[in-house]
Amino acid sequence: MGERGVAVVIEDDGVIRTALTDILRQSGFAVHPTSSGSEGISKVIEHKPDIVTVDIGLPDFDGIEVSRRIRTFSDAYVIIISRRADEADALMGFEAGADDYLIKPFRKRELIARVRAMFRRPRIMRQLPGVSSVPVSQGALVLAGSDRMDALPGAADVQGLPVEPAGGFDFAHQGLALHEGTRQVTVDGIPISLTRSQFDILLVLMENGRTVQTKSDLVRRLRNEPYTSGSFVSAKEERAVEVQVSNLRKRLGESSRRPRWIETVHGVGYRMTP
């Protein structure tokens, strides 16, 4: 993969921690391993990594909470690694801001493939008026002088900060606009914070308009696979997409019962409203 930057490994099992460290170093990362959630968060703050692997069963607090805390200040790619194969654990991980969920034992090639897929997603920094520079792919805004990121559930939270890319938007629909190159989304001219997966789902839907996108279509898009690949999509992955769409709607400030933008086609998938 070449040089990728910095990684933090948060894993209390010494053997697995060493294995993860070796894999990531061989893949071009400078790796900072640690064995607890509190130490891991400190390492993320200190080293500003590009990717973080988090064990779900840590001695102080679990990987779900670690992911949630990391996401309040960092846009690093987060992979939760766990022996728990329960769907509920994976969904909680995605809701906490993780980008992927990998079950132990895992294969070296599988981890590398997932990391490669993540790094194909752009990480663009953009400066907003009165706001410090932040990764638009994560979309959180850091208020000037603040020591934390504030999630933006809707336009009302950022009044007075309308932004438009220099080249205009690629897609627009009923006040919702999206620019693929900068990974920026606005509602009525106001920036909206989206996670990478939420942005990618919205991009697919806006690209296809009234053509229904199945949950399997969306899963494959998030994997960076072509729709026609025919690769297996599990029920857990489809459920994770449902959660992502639900969270996307919340970020946009719309109701699933009376959608302004994203329409559910029951038993099939999603499409944009007329």
Side-chain angles (χ1 to χ4, degrees):
M1 281 189 288
E3 293 187 2
R4 288 297 189 186
V6 179
V8 168
V9 171
I10 309 174
E11 170 63 62
D12 66 335
D13 185 309
V15 174
I16 297 176
R17 184 170 62 250
T18 298
L20 286 168
T21 299
D22 290 344
I23 291 170
L24 291 170
R25 280 179 178 159
Q26 291 167 14
S27 300
F29 291 92
V31 186
H32 302 276
T34 186
S35 59
S36 71
S38 57
E39 292 175 356
I41 290 171
S42 296
K43 292 283 188 184
V44 173
I45 293 172
E46 178 183 359
H47 297 290
K48 299 178 176 59
D50 301 283
I51 189 166
V52 182
T53 68
V54 184
D55 178 27
I56 203 168
L58 295 167
D60 43 5
F61 44 87
D62 67 25
I64 303 296
E65 180 61 23
V66 173
S67 299
R68 185 177 293 111
R69 295 189 189 186
I70 288 173
R71 194 52 75 220
T72 64
F73 64 86
S74 171
D75 193 49
Y77 298 99
V78 176
I79 304 178
I80 292 179
I81 300 179
S82 172
R83 296 190 188 277
R84 304 178 193 172
D86 292 343
E87 177 181 346
D89 289 313
L91 295 177
M92 284 192 295
F94 289 125
E95 290 176 342
D99 297 284
D100 207 344
Y101 191 97
L102 187 61
I103 304 298
K104 300 176 184 177
F106 58 88
R107 297 177 180 176
K108 174 181 177 180
R109 287 182 295 178
E110 180 181 10
L111 175 61
I112 292 174
R114 293 185 185 224
V115 171
R116 281 176 173 158
M118 287 180 184
F119 275 80
R120 286 197 292 266
R121 303 173 190 172
R123 291 161 55 99
I124 305 296
M125 305 295 288
R126 182 174 179 82
Q127 185 77 27
L128 302 181
V131 180
S132 62
S133 180
V134 298
V136 174
S137 59
Q138 172 63 18
L141 298 181
V142 184
L143 301 182
S146 173
D147 62 355
R148 63 179 293 273
M149 284 189 177
D150 292 312
L152 304 179
D157 296 333
V158 287
Q159 292 297 329
L161 294 176
V163 177
E164 181 175 352
F169 289 95
D170 297 309
F171 302 97
H173 179 59
Q174 297 188 27
L176 172 65
L178 179 149
H179 189 272
E180 184 175 4
T182 61
R183 296 181 70 82
Q184 182 184 345
V185 173
T186 65
V187 171
D188 299 326
I190 304 300
I192 298 298
S193 69
L194 297 180
T195 65
R196 296 182 197 87
S197 295
Q198 290 165 4
F199 180 93
D200 291 342
I201 288 170
L202 182 59
L203 173 60
V204 174
L205 295 175
M206 295 191 80
E207 282 177 336
N208 290 277
R210 293 290 289 164
T211 301
V212 177
Q213 302 302 295
T214 69
K215 296 170 190 176
S216 294
D217 288 337
L218 295 175
V219 169
R220 293 189 181 103
R221 180 61 177 262
L222 293 177
R223 292 176 181 168
N224 290 289
E225 295 178 0
Y227 295 126
T228 57
S229 68
S231 60
F232 174 73
V233 174
S234 68
K236 181 173 71 175
E237 290 174 307
E238 291 191 346
R239 174 58 183 149
V241 162
E242 291 178 7
V243 173
Q244 295 283 11
V245 171
S246 176
N247 290 338
L248 171 59
R249 282 174 165 149
K250 291 176 184 176
R251 293 291 182 97
L252 295 178
E254 77 163 9
S255 166
S256 60
R257 294 184 179 181
R258 300 181 61 185
R260 181 176 172 185
W261 300 291
I262 302 172
E263 178 178 286
T264 299
V265 181
H266 294 288
V268 183
Y270 308 94
R271 64 185 176 188
M272 299 301 291
T273 56

